[in-house]
Amino acid sequence: MSDPQPEFRPVPGTPETVAPGIVRVLAPNPSPMTFRGTNTYLVGEADLCVIDPGPDDPIHLRALLDAIGGRRVSAIAVTHAHVDHAPLAEALSALTGAPVAGFGTARAGRSAAMTQLAESGLVGGGEGVDHAFRPDQTLADGETLSGGDWSLRAIHTPGHMGNHLCFALGDRLFSGDLVMGWASSLVSPPDGDLTDFMASLARLQEETWQSLLPGHGAPVSDPATRLADLVAHRRAREAAILDALEDGPADPATLAARIYTDTPAPLLPAAARNVLAHLVDLVGKDRVTPLSELSPQARFARR
């Protein structure tokens, strides 16, 4: 599998200025799900907001404290409660005194359909959920988080996860894991919801962005094109799933193996979760029918 962003090779722990008043510090947690690692952002000059502190890693914590350099941290903002984004917030808050802000706990923002799936026993897959995440300050859609020389507007963008927030700094958007340039986001029920994901993409398309600063990978310099590509990609996946079901009922893993032909075997379970997300969305659209209780093992038939 080719490298999607060969030019993007920041050194973990080394602060890099990516835009005026915005510094990125890469966490040392590369993986097939996190690419080079988690991007932690420091916003501001004398008074800072730390966006997505990252995994609970003492090396990354030390790097962040070095990058902060004794400056005041007035807020810690978390895009969503996955273990590669949120856990370090607690330790960083304890050392800086800054409150942690987010949409809510790991279960906040789930749709009724995903809540039903979770109650049936379905557990998430993918990056891993930080079930201990409890923000000191909850941010509703449209609320602002402000410091000395910065102001962030929270935009509730469920889809990758129900409690996912993007943060707008003027016309720059910290897009978390909703929109990235190196890959499409994992949407893994019950934490991820494809119906919500598509609605969140459509919402971001209503505004004009100069750039997107994602949770993993390089900045996205042409947001309008990237958003359109992601919508088209999901629609193409939906069409491929419906075409595959013309051969008869199948479960998500079988469909993923047929459709994701260029995907390495270790990533096929994540692909199957994406297929399940599409199938749940298609059930809601009355395009497919589960032949048993909705689950990752269920077989689905085209209507």
Side-chain angles (χ1 to χ4, degrees):
M1 189 175 181
S2 62
D3 189 335
Q5 292 181 343
E7 76 291 347
F8 179 73
R9 291 191 174 276
V11 177
T14 301
E16 293 189 47
T17 299
V18 295
I22 303 173
V23 169
R24 179 186 62 225
V25 183
L26 182 71
N29 62 328
S31 76
M33 300 301 300
T34 61
F35 194 39
R36 307 280 188 243
T38 300
N39 294 327
T40 298
Y41 297 100
L42 310 184
V43 180
E45 298 292 349
D47 175 62
L48 303 177
C49 176
V50 178
I51 298 178
D52 281 350
D56 187 9
D57 183 318
I59 294 174
H60 189 49
L61 177 60
R62 183 71 261 166
L64 291 182
L65 293 173
D66 289 345
I68 291 165
R71 289 175 290 176
R72 179 173 185 261
V73 178
S74 57
I76 299 167
V78 174
T79 60
H80 63 293
H82 273 148
V83 295
D84 54 326
H85 290 258
L88 198 61
E90 183 177 1
L92 187 62
S93 176
L95 290 169
T96 62
V100 178
F103 184 78
T105 67
R107 296 183 179 182
R110 275 184 179 171
S111 66
M114 294 305 119
T115 299
Q116 181 180 351
L117 277 173
E119 290 174 350
S120 73
L122 179 63
V123 296
E127 298 99 326
V129 175
D130 181 7
H131 292 288
F133 179 68
R134 299 285 187 278
D136 302 306
Q137 177 182 357
T138 56
L139 294 172
D141 181 59
E143 281 197 76
T144 58
L145 190 65
S146 300
D149 57 358
W150 52 268
S151 182
L152 296 167
R153 173 168 55 97
I155 305 174
H156 184 216
T157 47
H160 175 68
M161 197 169 185
N163 74 345
H164 194 286
L165 290 173
C166 291
F167 295 101
L169 180 70
D171 61 359
R172 287 189 169 90
L173 185 74
F174 296 93
S175 56
D177 282 6
L178 183 78
V179 184
M180 301 177 288
W182 72 281
S184 178
S185 298
L186 173 68
V187 181
S188 177
D191 305 306
D193 184 319
L194 189 71
T195 304
D196 283 350
F197 182 82
M198 296 298 283
S200 292
L201 293 181
R203 180 171 183 193
L204 293 186
Q205 288 180 308
E206 294 173 358
E207 300 189 44
T208 300
W209 305 104
Q210 176 181 334
S211 64
L212 307 180
L213 300 170
H216 308 277
V220 177
S221 59
D222 188 353
T225 297
R226 183 56 179 161
L227 287 165
D229 287 346
L230 288 173
V231 171
H233 170 74
R234 292 293 176 174
R235 288 176 176 162
R237 286 293 187 214
E238 177 182 281
I241 289 168
L242 290 171
D243 285 347
L245 287 174
E246 290 285 2
D247 296 332
D251 60 44
T254 300
L255 291 168
R258 291 182 193 169
I259 295 166
Y260 289 77
T261 55
D262 295 329
T263 299
L267 294 181
L268 280 176
R273 284 287 182 152
N274 266 322
V275 170
L276 175 62
H278 275 283
L279 289 166
V280 173
D281 181 58
L282 287 166
V283 169
K285 295 175 180 176
D286 291 327
R287 304 288 303 278
V288 304
T289 302
L291 301 184
S292 60
E293 183 178 355
L294 206 58
S295 75
Q297 292 76 40
R299 297 168 71 242
F300 293 80
R302 183 166 180 171
R303 280 186 177 273

